[in-house]
Amino acid sequence: MEGAHEKLLHLTFGEAQGAESSENAKNSSLQSSKFTVWLQLFIFTLFALAGQAVGTLLGRLYYEQGGQSRWIATLAQTAGFPFLLPFICYPSPKNHNEQEFSIHQPSIFVHASVYISLGLFQVANSMLFTVGLQYLPASTYALIAGSQLAFNALTSFFLNGHKITPIILNSVVILSFSSSAIIFQDETGDSGEISRKSLLIGFSAATFGSLGYALQFSLTELAFQKVFKSGSLKVVMKMSFFIGLFVTLTSTVGLFASGNWRNLGKEIGEYRSGKLSYVVNLVCTAISWQLYAVGSVGLVFRASALFSNVIINLGASVVPIVAMVFLKDKTSGLKVFSLLLGLWGYASYIYQHYLDDLEAKTNEVKSSADSLNDRLA
């Protein structure tokens, strides 16, 4: 009888050890998965910030050196999609979840409808941002473009089901003020003579472009939630590639339909820094904006549309500094104040993200403890 009791205790202790070992392995796997996600978020953030800064400055340089075609400038924002082709064609191993999803994935018609719909948003928003960049200095344009965060908070709430906490609301309000405060600045001394009419056109185009991009980002996240449910990063590359392809084709049609293509020879010949510089500018612009596209879509895929917009808004704080260094853009006291407000709003959002992560970890520890207790009971 005593031997049977000892045997029962031994078995119970062995089960407890096995359960604990299983929980440790699970926690180790979760930690590894979290590290991978954070690493991907870091890489996507670098792509978004670098692409946004370089693309914005090169776009402004295009106009300053004599470029005039809005369709060419818009085309350059998406024409870098062929660089993603090797990443799409490269075979990647599929896990069990992805194999199960591949069996029940939506039809090609559904995929194409999503790409075309998002592509139409991209065309309209790119044209609006192109007009805004043409009429505004790079620093002013970047600050106004950051106003899309306020609208995106609402679209994320209604379309994606994200909660708006007091800290996030504080972040959105501050970031919106940081972007809108610039309209009280007299821009005539910032980057040459800018008329009130041109300032109004540029401000309106950049603002509506920001609102359009906010809606586009929320629709992109909705597509990941409802249609593209695969956990592979290849879905990010495919979305960036096909949207870029559609927008490039649409912009090319617009270029020829508008008749702007007839002036390309004259525009290249009159480009102040030369024909080679003209080509290099457009190629580098295409690569930069493609990096931005992959980074921003990747952030939506791995985090949320609102998180992606926060990073883009951070980029709006980086661009004026880079513009001041490389384009000799003047930075007034109001712009510095707007920049500080933007950084404050960004810090508020990151703090909310830290609180959410802390709460998630606490819930995981509690869940693991409850699971272990249930096994030992």
Side-chain angles (χ1 to χ4, degrees), residues 185-194 330:
Q185 165 103 10
D186 185 358
E187 294 291 346
T188 56
D190 189 79
S191 183
E193 292 296 326
I194 301 178
K330 295 181 180 179

Side-chain angles (χ1 to χ4, degrees), residues 76-99:
Q77 295 181 22
T78 58
F81 72 92
F83 292 100
L84 300 179
L85 197 58
F87 299 98
I88 295 177
C89 296
Y90 183 78
S92 58
K94 293 184 177 180
N95 56 37
H96 177 71
N97 293 334
E98 290 176 1
Q99 290 177 347

Side-chain angles (χ1 to χ4, degrees), residues 5-19:
H5 182 66
E6 291 179 353
K7 185 176 182 181
L8 180 61
L9 289 176
H10 178 73
L11 289 175
T12 303
F13 180 72
E15 290 177 358
Q17 281 188 321

Side-chain angles (χ1 to χ4, degrees), residues 75-333:
L75 188 64
Q77 295 181 22
T78 58
F81 72 92
F83 292 100
L84 300 179
L85 197 58
F87 299 98
I88 295 177
C89 296
Y90 183 78
S92 58
K94 293 184 177 180
N95 56 37
H96 177 71
N97 293 334
E98 290 176 1
Q99 290 177 347
E100 183 178 351
F101 169 74
S102 63
I103 299 175
H104 305 285
Q105 64 178 332
S107 64
I108 296 178
F109 174 77
V110 175
H111 283 204
S113 299
V114 173
Y115 293 142
I116 292 174
S117 299
L118 294 176
L120 289 174
F121 270 97
Q122 180 77 25
V123 171
N125 297 330
S126 295
M127 178 56 70
L128 286 171
F129 271 167
T130 298
V131 174
L133 187 58
Q134 180 179 6
Y135 286 102
L136 296 174
S139 55
T140 304
Y141 157 82
L143 291 172
I144 295 176
S147 63
Q148 69 185 48
L149 185 62
F151 187 70
N152 187 233
L154 296 177
T155 57
S156 293
F157 177 78
F158 289 107
L159 295 179
N160 310 122
H162 293 301
K163 61 181 180 179
I164 301 180
T165 65
I167 296 178
I168 289 181
L169 182 60
N170 172 73
S171 174
V172 169
V173 171
I174 291 175
L175 285 167
S176 300
F177 278 144
S178 72
S179 302
S180 302
I182 201 64
I183 64 175
F184 300 106
Q185 165 103 10
D186 185 358
E187 294 291 346
T188 56
D190 189 79
S191 183
E193 292 296 326
I194 301 178
S195 66
R196 293 294 179 182
K197 180 180 179 181
S198 297
L199 179 60
L200 180 60
I201 293 174
F203 176 78
S204 301
T207 300
F208 280 108
S210 298
L211 298 180
Y213 262 119
L215 183 58
Q216 178 186 342
F217 272 52
S218 289
L219 291 175
T220 301
E221 183 177 356
L222 189 64
F224 283 135
Q225 292 172 338
K226 304 297 183 180
V227 181
F228 307 102
K229 301 178 182 179
S230 171
S232 173
L233 289 178
K234 184 176 287 189
V235 69
V236 176
M237 301 299 178
K238 285 184 177 180
M239 178 170 284
S240 300
F241 177 86
F242 286 112
I243 291 178
L245 172 62
F246 175 79
V247 176
T248 300
L249 292 176
T250 305
S251 300
T252 302
V253 172
L255 175 66
F256 284 94
S258 64
N260 285 165
W261 63 275
R262 298 187 182 92
N263 301 324
L264 288 182
K266 179 181 178 181
E267 179 176 295
I268 296 174
E270 295 178 352
Y271 200 71
R272 295 189 185 95
S273 52
K275 298 180 180 179
L276 180 61
S277 178
Y278 182 89
V279 175
V280 170
N281 181 296
L282 293 181
V283 171
C284 292
T285 299
I287 296 175
S288 300
W289 282 118
Q290 195 58 61
L291 281 176
Y292 166 82
V294 172
S296 58
V297 173
L299 289 173
V300 174
F301 175 72
R302 276 302 179 212
S304 67
L306 191 57
F307 183 86
S308 183
N309 264 294
V310 167
I311 296 301
I312 293 171
N313 211 85
L314 175 63
S317 302
V318 174
V319 171
I321 299 175
V322 182
M324 181 181 63
V325 174
F326 292 99
L327 297 185
K328 308 302 180 183
D329 233 3
K330 295 181 180 179
T331 301
S332 65

